[in-house]
Amino acid sequence: MVDVTTPYATFDDVTKRYNPILTMIGVGTLQVTTNDISSIYIADAQAIINGYLARRYVLPLSPEPILTDLTSDIAIFRVLRDRAPRIPEFMQTRYTDAMSLLTLLQGGQMDLTGSDVLPTSGGDNEAWSSSQDQPPVCTNAEAFTCNASADRLS
């Protein structure tokens, strides 16, 4: 289970990156509370990040600046999506950039420096024989064709 006691971003991190969000707190139909931002939107953004990176990194991730930026941009976008009449173009761009960066991290084109990468297996496409007289058993037959026959085994 992921430890959620150390968030990747705080309310202050979010408001420093998009100060106009402070005007939405407690105001009219766009009302959002500081608690909403802290407990809902930041947690949702962190869950999205964890979902993207769970197969590559050991969770929970160590908070670091890139995660703070990603979490803040995703959280701000989701607040605006849920509460504002429209999303400013620059915020849509920041959200799109954040999701692209997550894809790069997920695919290994970029790395988080403060988090442990999950160990990779020695290979999922292994073949073996339980005896010399039997053809190999393929562990992932969908990934490749296992055409070994007993007469080709030595």
Side-chain angles (χ1 to χ4, degrees):
M1 173 149 252
V2 176
D3 175 17
V4 293
T5 59
T6 306
Y8 302 153
T10 65
F11 175 78
D12 287 339
D13 293 324
V14 171
T15 57
K16 284 177 187 171
R17 282 166 179 75
Y18 188 65
N19 201 355
I21 206 163
L22 290 173
T23 64
M24 293 174 63
I25 296 173
V27 177
T29 59
L30 303 180
Q31 182 173 345
V32 63
T33 67
T34 56
N35 191 46
D36 288 341
I37 294 170
S38 297
S39 65
I40 298 171
Y41 293 103
I42 290 173
D44 288 353
Q46 187 163 320
I48 290 168
I49 291 167
N50 286 343
Y52 265 81
L53 302 181
R55 290 188 179 189
R56 182 146 188 268
Y57 292 96
V58 176
L59 297 179
L61 299 167
S62 299
E64 56 183 273
I66 194 167
L67 291 175
T68 301
D69 286 343
L70 291 170
T71 303
S72 298
D73 286 346
I74 294 168
I76 293 164
F77 175 83
R78 292 173 68 93
V79 168
L80 294 172
R81 182 198 65 191
D82 290 355
R83 307 291 176 109
R86 70 174 193 81
I87 298 170
E89 186 178 332
F90 80 93
M91 200 58 241
Q92 179 67 52
T93 301
R94 286 178 67 162
Y95 173 77
T96 301
D97 290 349
M99 299 309 290
S100 296
L101 187 57
L102 275 177
T103 302
L104 292 173
L105 288 166
Q106 180 186 50
Q109 290 88 3
M110 288 186 69
D111 293 315
L112 295 174
T113 57
S115 298
D116 294 329
V117 176
L118 288 171
T120 57
S121 67
D124 294 328
N125 300 325
E126 299 174 354
W128 72 91
S129 176
S130 57
S131 81
Q132 282 187 316
D133 298 331
Q134 300 296 318
V137 176
C138 300
T139 61
N140 191 353
E142 292 177 5
F144 67 99
T145 305
C146 186
N147 291 326
S149 62
D151 62 314
R152 292 196 296 185
L153 298 174
S154 55

